[in-house]
Structures are given as C-alpha cells and as structure tokens.
C-alpha cells in the first residue's frame, strides 16, 4: 500500500514537473528545450539518438558544445593514436567553482580519501570590498615535457602515443619522485584508505560497513582494466593522477569532468584536428598555460 | 664503560623501533605524516643522513688503505666497518618509504638510468660490494695494487654517490630552494664531515686510550673545525642568496627554517648543538685530545647533521606548488605542515639501534676488528 502511494505521488510529481517545464519553455519560446523535453519522455535509447546528431562526426557549428565535442571525438578516434593529440581547455570565465568536476572524477575513478585528480583552486583577488574570486580547476597538465617522467626510476610514468602521461600501476614502486617533480602538484599518492572505515556494522543496518566496503573494493577501470582495491595491491601504494579518462575516451565518451561541468567550462578534444572545438580555441590570445616559464608545455589551456 | 652504555642505548633504540617496524611492515604507510604534498619526510632525510655517513666513512678509510697516512694505520678497518653498517641502515629507511617496497627488484630489471634514483640504487649496490671487497682485501693484502685499485674505485663511488643525493633533490626545478647546482656539489663535503664525525666517535670511544688515539682524534678534530666552518659558509651562501633574490618560493622555504616552524631545530640542534658546541670544545687542545670529548662531539655533529638533512627536505616541500592548492581539497595525507609521526620516529630509532648494535657486535665478535694494532 505504502509503495503504491509513493508511486502515485511520484507520478503526479512527474506530471507537475513536466507541465512546469513546458510552461517555462513556452514562456521563453525555446523550441529546442521542448524538443529536448519530448526526447526525455521517450525511451532512453531514443533519447540518445535524438539528442546526438545522426552522424556525430558532422555536428554543426551551432550545436551544443558537448555535441560538437562528441563529434570531434568520434572523428579523432578514427585516426591512428599517434596522429591525435588530446588537449583540455578550461574557460575560467565560465567556471563557477561548483566542484562538480572534482566529485565526478572521484566517482568515475573511485578515488579513495586523500587522492584527488582535479581539485578546483580558489583564488581571491583584491581586498574587501573590492574583492572577486577566480576558480582554477587543476587536472594533470599532460605536459609535453613532463618533469615527472625522467625522474621515475622504473619507467612507470611515461607519455603514450596520444600525448597523455600514464602511470603503469604495476610497475610503480611508490617512491613519489614524480610527485616531488611535478610543478603543478598534480599527483597524489594512494595510502590505502577507504571511506567506509569507521562505519558501524550493527545488525539491522541495511548499509553498514560491509556493504559500503564492498562498493569501495569493487574495481575502477583506469587505463582500461579493472583495479579492485584489495590487500595493498595497486593502485594502493602508487602515485596516481588524472589521465584524461582515457578508458572513457577509448569508448567514444568525453572525460567525466567535461561531461559533468555545468558551465560547459571544460572542453576536450584533438588539437591536431583543425575543425575541433579545442583546436579553434587554443590559438586565441586570451589563452594561457600554467607556469609556462618552466617549459613543461602543458596540454591544458586556460581561457582568461 | 662507554661501550656498555652505548650497547644499552642501542638496545633501547631498537626496542623503541619494534613498534615502527611492525606498523610499517604489517599495517603499511597509514601512520606516517608525509603525504602527497610533503612527499618526502623523516625517512628520506635519514636515508640521506646514513648514506652520507657511509660514503664519508669510506672516504676516511682511504687515508689508511689508499694514501697510507701513517697516523691512521689500522684505523681504516673501523671506518670500513662503519661504512658497511650504515649503508644498510640507509637502505632500510628508504625502502620503508616506498609504497611498494616488494617491487624494488624492478629498479634492477627495468631501470631508467636517466633517473637519479635508479643511478643511486645501482650505485649503492655496487658500493656495498666494494666495501666488502675492500674489507677483505685490506685484511688479506693491505699493501697490494689490487687493494689500491679497489679503494680508488670506492673513493670515486663514495664521492659520486654523496653528490648523487644532492642531484636527487636539485633536479626538481619545481622546488625552488633545491634547484641549484650547488647542492650536488656541497653534498660530498657534508658526507666527509659526517664521516669525520663518525670516526671521531668510533676512535674516541671504542679504541684504547693511548697516544696514537689522542693524536688521531686531535687531527680529526682539527679537520672538523675546518669542515664546520665550511658548512657554516655554505649555510650563509644558500640562505643569503635565497633571501636576497626575493623570489618568494625560495625565500619562503628559508624563512620556514630560520624563523618558522622548524626554527627551534635549526637554531637549537643544527647550529648550537651541532656546530657551535663542537667548535668551542674542539678548539681547546686538551679537550680535543680526550677520547671521550672527541667522541661526544662526533655524536653532536651527527645529530646536527640529521637535523640539517631534515631541514633540507621538509621546508622545501612545505611550499605548495600552486597557491591555494592545499585548501582546494581535503583528506588524509594532504597536509602541508609536516612533523614526523611517532611511528616514523620509531622506525628511525630502530634503525639507529640496529646500526649501533651491528657496529659494536662486529667490533667485539669479529677477530680482525677485535685486534687493535697501530704503527708507531
Ligand atoms: S602536470 Fe605533473 S603529473 Fe601531469 S604531466 Fe605535468 S609534471 Fe607530470
Ligand atoms: S612513484 Fe611510481 S610512477 Fe612515480 S616516480 Fe616512483 S615509481 Fe615512478
């Protein structure tokens, strides 16, 4: 009975929400919004088809940037790995400092406590009352001249054919030389913690320590293979860092932080493709890279 | 009497270390205070410290076995034995610092020789072999060409490896206060100083009190005075250049040492105890000839060096690479204020205990070390 009531409540809430959105869309005269709405009412597979152009390789210039990047990605994946050059562009004018990308990355890569790939640094400019804030997401810069690579004593850190700096977890001895060498603090070491530590495991608790633990010990899929957290095996004890979500990219998906960014402030694509969104942006005069004076040649560009 | 006290202290240190050994080997790195921002802590500092003593002690052994300095005839084997027990101490501390110490063989099978760390691992392995061969040769064929050739190789390795730890730090262009060519150049001098300090203690405390000992410790004491002054000059150069340059990151690391969270250790232990007190004692000929005082000054200089090594490591890492980075995300081991944990201190205590006991047991049990002979 209770269940039925809940279902009914949910159904009427759904209708209400839909009507509200319709009204909103109508008031704004946003036809596209209605199309999206209709698409949302369809089955999930239809949604995917109607939102993404039939051939994603041909998204037009006016399409949402996510769709354009999806098309850029599909085009890039048709090339040989050595012919593409992944870059990230972060538009600091659009970043609102919501930290959604940080959390999405934590979820995607199942990062344990103390491990972070993409913190958002907050910078305060000026003094009260003339004060403003700037938010600087900081993934791994995937440097073209990465200081973290030559210091690795066992070649566990290397640049792959697509220009992304990877860590071979099973090769890494955990010396943290690469953490010390990185000028961007972009690497963290995994000290083997889980979030479920300290969670009570009393009788009758649906989600006690065991259940939570089970989730945390389930594998993540970095570098395209499963990494369960068990018995101090990798990635515990290793250096870890952002890898542009290569496991997603390989499947034709954008990096998780790009998909999640509510302000469309993070962009991704193949800089070797002159038609890609990122290639068109990185040559603009208001683009900077962090600590350029070091000569590391980061592949992450910031629009200021 | 002194030997018995040192035996007792060594045993106590080892006992205190058992907790650290257990925690590191069976629980892992969870109880350490270093992390992803202060990437290297007390264990790396102590590794530099022990490796410095080992290479320095080897340099001094060459006075006897390579350069034939009459006064040091018979003292070389004690220096070599000192080098042999301190090198494993260095390697244990650095192995504990690795996230995956069970993979150390990878540095042998797939080394990146461009990385200072790989060069050092291979270098230390070779050095250990050279120390053992030197010991054997100096006992069996002290005056032969083969001994001199091996000792020459050892001397070269000792200098290269002491400089190598400086290179391990100075290649990090992102750590402004390390990134100076001066660093690898200074380290062999630091090693020599710690070698002299070790030999002052070994000869002062554990060899019979006769005229030869008085002359030896006096000479070592004079060398120590010069080396402390050179060390003081290096400190002045390093710190004044950093402060004068006005580049914030360099200056901030120095300010942390001079006036910040590490100031008590710098002024109290490194400068007052490790430099000024030995200087005052050693300039007095009567005290400098006394085995007890020379030995004690050796220990004080070594304590000062342990602190100096720490003051090279932690403060440079306590400056975040990007402003605001440390506030951007929170979690265990993401701190910038580093102080060694109890467990880290325990491990170091255990390693000091191990090395001390190994030295004394060797001197008491190994026939060639038991026999104390001098050339008049
Ligand atoms: S940002 Fe740091 S970790 Fe990433 S490639 Fe550059 S040096 Fe390496
Ligand atoms: S921590 Fe791992 S990846 Fe980093 S330098 Fe050491 S071995 Fe290489």
């Amino acid at each position: 009975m209770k269940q039925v009531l809940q279902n009914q409540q949910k159904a009427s809430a759904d209708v209400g929400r839909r009507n509200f959105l319709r009204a909103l869309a109508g008031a704004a005269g946003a036809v596209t919004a209605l199309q999206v709405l209709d698409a949302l009412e369809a089955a999930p597979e239809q949604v995917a088809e109607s939102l993404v152009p039939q051939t994603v390789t041909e998204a037009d210039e006016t399409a949402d940037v996510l769709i354009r990047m999806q098309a850029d990605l599909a085009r890039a994946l048709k090339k040989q790995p050595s012919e593409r050059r992944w870059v990230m562009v972060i538009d600091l004018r659009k970043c609102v400092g919501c930290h959604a990308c940080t959390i999405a990355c934590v979820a995607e890569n199942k990062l344990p406590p103390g491990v972070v790939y993409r913190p958002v640094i907050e910078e305060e400019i000026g003094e009260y009352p003339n004060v403003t804030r700037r938010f600087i997401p900081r993934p791994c810069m995937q440097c073209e001249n990465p200081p973290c690579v030559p210091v690795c004593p066992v070649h566990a850190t290397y640049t792959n054919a697509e220009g992304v700096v990877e860590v071979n977890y099973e090769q890494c001895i955990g010396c943290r030389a690469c953490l010390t060498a990185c000028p961007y603090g972009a690497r963290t070491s995994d000290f083997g913690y889980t979030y479920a530590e300290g969670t009570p495991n009393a009788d009758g608790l649906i989600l006690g320590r065991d259940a939570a633990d089970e989730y945390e010990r389930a594998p993540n899929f970095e570098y395209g293979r499963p990494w369960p957290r068990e018995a101090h095996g990798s990635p515990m004890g290793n250096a870890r860092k952002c890898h542009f979500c290569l496991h997603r990219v390989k499947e034709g998906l954008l990096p998780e932080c790009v998909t999640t960014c509510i302000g469309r402030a993070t962009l991704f694509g193949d800089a070797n493709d002159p038609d890609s969104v990122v290639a068109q942006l990185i040559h603009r005069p208001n683009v900077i890279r962090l600590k350029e004076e070091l000569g590391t040649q980061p592949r992450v560009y910031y629009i200021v | 009497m002194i030997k018995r006290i040192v035996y007792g202290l060594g045993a106590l240190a080892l006992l205190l270390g058992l907790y650290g050994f257990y925690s590191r080997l069976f629980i892992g790195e969870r109880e350490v205070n270093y992390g992803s921002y202060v990437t290297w802590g007390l264990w790396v500092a102590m590794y530099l410290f022990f490796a410095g003593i080992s290479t320095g002690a080897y340099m001094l052994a060459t006075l006897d076995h390579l350069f034939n300095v009459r006064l040091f005839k018979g003292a070389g084997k004690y220096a070599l034995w000192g080098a042999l027990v301190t090198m494993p101490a260095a390697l244990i501390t650095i192995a504990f610092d690795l996230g995956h110490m069970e993979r150390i063989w990878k540095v042998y099978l797939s080394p990146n020789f461009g990385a200072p760390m790989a060069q050092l691992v291979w270098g230390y392995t070779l050095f250990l072999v050279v120390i053992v061969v030197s010991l054997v040769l100096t006992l069996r064929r002290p005056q032969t060409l083969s001994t001199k050739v091996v000792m020459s190789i050892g001397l070269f390795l000792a200098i290269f490896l002491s400089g190598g730890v400086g290179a391990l730090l100075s290649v990090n262009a992102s750590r402004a206060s390390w990134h100076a060519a001066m660093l690898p150049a200074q380290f062999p001098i630091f090693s020599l100083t710690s070698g002299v300090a070790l030999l002052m203690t070994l000869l002062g405390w554990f060899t019979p009190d006769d005229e030869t000992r008085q002359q030896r410790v006096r000479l070592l004491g004079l060398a120590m005075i010069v080396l402390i002054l050179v060390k003081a000059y290096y400190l002045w150069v390093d710190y004044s250049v950093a402060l004068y340059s006005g580049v914030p990151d360099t200056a901030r690391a120095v300010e942390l040492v001079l006036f910040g969270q590490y100031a008590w250790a710098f002024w109290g232990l490194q400068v007052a105890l490790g430099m000024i007190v030995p200087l005052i004692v050693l300039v007095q000929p009567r005290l400098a000839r006394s085995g007890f005082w020379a030995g004690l000054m050796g220990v004080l200089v070594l304590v000062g060096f342990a602190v100096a090594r720490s003051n090279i490591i932690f403060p440079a890492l306590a400056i975040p690479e990007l402003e605001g980075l440390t506030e951007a995300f929170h979690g265990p081991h993401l701190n910038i204020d580093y102080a060694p944990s109890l467990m880290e201190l325990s491990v170091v205590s255990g390693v000091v205990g191990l090395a001390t006991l190994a030295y004394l047991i060797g001197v008491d049990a190994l026939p060639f070390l038991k026999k104390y002979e001098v050339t008049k």
Side-chain angles (χ1 to χ4, degrees):
Chain A
M1 182 64 185
K2 200 173 163 196
Q3 186 67 45
V4 176
L5 262 178
Q6 277 175 352
N7 285 347
Q8 276 176 355
Q9 276 167 1
K10 189 170 171 294
S12 53
D14 278 350
V15 172
R17 198 176 304 133
R18 217 173 293 144
N19 288 340
F20 170 73
L21 284 172
R22 270 186 202 283
L24 196 68
V31 183
T32 39
L34 271 177
Q35 283 167 348
V36 171
L37 213 60
D38 288 337
L40 282 174
E41 285 174 348
E45 53 281 12
Q46 287 169 324
V47 171
E49 271 175 28
S50 57
L51 279 182
V52 178
Q54 283 306 309
T55 48
V56 279
T57 43
E58 286 167 20
D60 69 65
E61 292 278 317
T62 57
D64 184 294
V65 72
L66 265 183
I67 295 172
R68 281 193 62 201
M69 285 192 292
Q70 201 72 54
D72 295 350
L73 190 59
R75 266 198 323 278
L77 286 174
K78 288 189 183 139
K79 301 200 281 186
Q80 290 298 317
S82 57
E83 287 169 9
R84 45 193 189 231
R85 183 169 153 264
W86 300 128
V87 303
M88 190 171 273
V89 178
I90 301 177
D91 192 339
L92 297 187
R93 301 164 310 177
K94 290 185 176 171
C95 175
V96 294
C98 68
H99 300 265
C101 54
T102 311
I103 303 307
C105 173
V106 167
E108 172 66 30
N109 296 299
K110 301 194 76 186
L111 304 182
V115 176
V116 63
Y117 290 174
R118 192 188 158 94
V120 177
I121 297 169
E122 297 187 13
E123 194 181 13
E124 208 162 88
I125 301 160
E127 273 179 30
Y128 179 84
N130 300 319
V131 66
T132 156
R133 270 187 168 216
R134 187 159 68 169
F135 306 99
I136 309 165
R138 198 268 12 238
C140 167
M141 302 291 136
Q142 315 296 357
C143 311
E144 261 168 65
N145 296 319
C148 59
V149 169
V151 297
C152 176
V154 289
H155 296 290
T157 290
Y158 61 96
T159 308
N160 75 8
E162 298 165 302
V164 175
V165 176
E166 295 195 23
V167 182
N168 178 343
Y169 281 161
E170 297 210 312
Q171 180 71 7
C172 168
I173 60 172
C175 65
R176 298 187 303 284
C178 54
L179 276 79
T180 312
C182 172
Y184 304 98
R187 288 173 171 239
T188 36
S189 194
D190 186 335
F191 283 88
Y193 291 84
T194 56
Y195 290 98
E197 280 161 39
T199 307
N201 211 9
D203 283 345
L205 275 184
I206 304 170
L207 234 178
R209 165 102 194 245
D210 286 347
D213 243 11
E214 216 171 286
Y215 166 75
E216 283 198 68
R217 303 220 175 267
N220 71 45
F221 290 91
E222 289 176 284
Y223 306 109
R225 60 154 279 195
W227 298 99
R229 284 180 82 67
E230 53 194 29
H232 199 66
S234 292
M236 289 187 236
N238 289 143
R240 302 185 63 173
K241 65 182 261 303
C242 153
H243 35 67
F244 275 0
C245 276
L246 281 180
H247 57 289
R248 287 173 59 92
V249 171
K250 204 173 72 181
E251 303 295 331
L253 299 166
L254 290 164
E256 185 63 44
C257 53
V258 176
T259 315
T260 311
C261 178
I262 62 165
R264 300 283 195 270
T266 295
L267 311 166
F268 178 82
D270 173 19
N272 282 352
D273 172 0
D275 297 328
S276 70
V277 176
V278 290
Q280 288 167 0
L281 288 173
I282 61 176
H283 302 295
R284 295 190 357 188
N286 58 336
V287 167
I288 60 154
R289 292 185 290 179
L290 296 184
K291 296 195 178 181
E292 272 207 86
E293 70 282 5
L294 291 178
T296 48
Q297 305 267 26
R299 287 193 183 89
V300 174
Y301 297 79
Y302 291 90
I303 303 182
V304 292
Chain B
M1 176 63 181
I2 292 183
K3 197 191 257 179
R4 245 183 279 158
I5 294 175
V6 178
Y7 255 120
L9 288 175
L12 181 70
L14 179 58
L15 203 68
L16 291 175
L18 292 181
Y19 148 68
F21 289 160
Y22 169 80
S23 170
R24 175 63 190 92
L25 291 174
F26 296 98
I27 301 175
E29 288 183 285
R30 302 169 56 115
E31 287 180 44
V32 302
N33 278 356
Y34 58 75
S36 295
Y37 295 147
V38 179
T39 49
W40 291 335
L42 182 67
W43 293 345
V44 172
M46 288 305 105
Y47 142 72
L48 300 189
F49 172 66
F50 288 125
I53 298 178
S54 180
T55 46
Y58 194 96
M59 292 178 197
L60 288 177
T62 60
L63 288 181
D64 180 353
H65 300 300
L66 184 61
F67 301 114
N68 281 324
V69 179
R70 273 184 80 77
L71 185 60
F72 285 92
K73 276 281 146 247
K77 60 187 180 186
Y78 297 105
L80 282 179
W81 183 243
L84 191 61
V85 299
T86 42
M87 185 46 78
L91 298 182
I92 294 175
T93 19
I94 197 63
F96 275 16
D97 185 74
L98 298 180
H100 282 284
M101 64 173 120
E102 78 286 356
R103 292 183 191 162
I104 191 71
W105 56 270
K106 291 191 185 257
V107 190
Y108 295 102
L109 288 195
S110 45
N112 169 16
F113 281 124
M117 199 177 291
Q119 295 168 11
L120 288 172
V121 170
W122 277 66
Y124 291 139
T125 313
L126 195 63
F127 188 56
L128 268 175
V129 174
V130 169
I131 300 175
V132 175
V133 174
S134 307
L135 253 179
V136 174
L137 282 178
T138 52
L139 296 172
R140 298 240 169 103
R141 287 180 278 165
Q143 299 300 336
T144 57
L145 182 66
S146 53
T147 311
K148 296 210 183 296
V149 170
V150 171
M151 290 299 294
S152 309
I153 296 173
L155 180 60
F156 170 77
L157 265 179
I159 295 171
F160 174 78
L161 291 173
S162 0
V165 290
L168 182 76
L169 307 180
S170 71
V171 295
N172 292 286
S174 55
R175 310 291 180 170
S177 60
W178 287 349
H179 188 49
M182 270 296 274
L183 214 55
Q186 289 177 4
F187 267 75
I189 304 293
F190 296 163
S191 296
L192 183 63
T193 315
S194 37
V196 171
L198 180 78
L199 210 60
M200 278 169 68
T201 305
L202 300 184
L203 297 182
W205 281 0
F206 307 122
T207 57
D209 187 5
D210 56 17
E211 202 190 321
T212 312
R213 180 174 89 175
Q214 290 181 12
Q215 287 176 4
R216 283 171 170 176
V217 294
R218 173 77 176 124
L219 193 65
L220 288 172
L222 287 175
M224 181 56 84
I225 292 172
V226 176
L227 288 166
I228 289 178
L229 293 176
V230 171
K231 170 99 172 44
Y233 173 70
Y234 280 159
L235 274 177
W236 163 251
V237 171
D238 284 348
Y239 290 0
S240 62
V241 168
L243 291 175
Y244 198 85
S245 73
V247 174
D249 280 2
T250 328
R252 275 163 70 193
V254 171
E255 279 161 10
L256 271 182
V257 177
L258 295 183
F259 319 111
Q261 124 190 54
Y262 306 105
W264 66 273
F266 176 77
W267 294 110
L269 300 178
Q270 185 179 334
V271 174
L273 210 64
M275 294 170 80
I276 296 177
V277 173
L279 266 186
I280 293 173
V281 171
L282 293 174
V283 290
Q284 306 184 43
R286 196 177 50 82
L287 292 181
R289 266 195 292 270
S290 142
F292 169 76
W293 282 102
L296 188 63
M297 292 311 108
V299 171
L300 291 191
V301 170
L302 287 179
V303 170
F305 259 90
V307 175
R309 295 298 200 241
S310 307
N311 272 339
I312 288 180
I313 301 290
F314 325 151
L317 294 170
I319 312 297
E321 293 95 329
L322 296 171
E323 205 57 58
L325 180 63
T326 43
E327 289 83 43
F329 195 85
H330 296 273
H333 300 273
L334 290 182
N335 300 325
I336 209 79
D337 298 320
Y338 171 81
S341 70
L342 214 56
M343 179 262 208
E344 286 170 78
L345 288 165
S346 166
V347 163
V348 171
S349 161
V351 173
V352 170
L354 269 179
T356 309
L357 293 181
Y359 184 82
L360 290 178
I361 291 171
V363 169
D364 282 344
L366 295 173
F368 65 89
L369 288 175
K370 265 203 285 195
K371 204 165 63 187
Y372 175 76
E373 75 263 70
V374 289
T375 318
K376 291 281 171 197

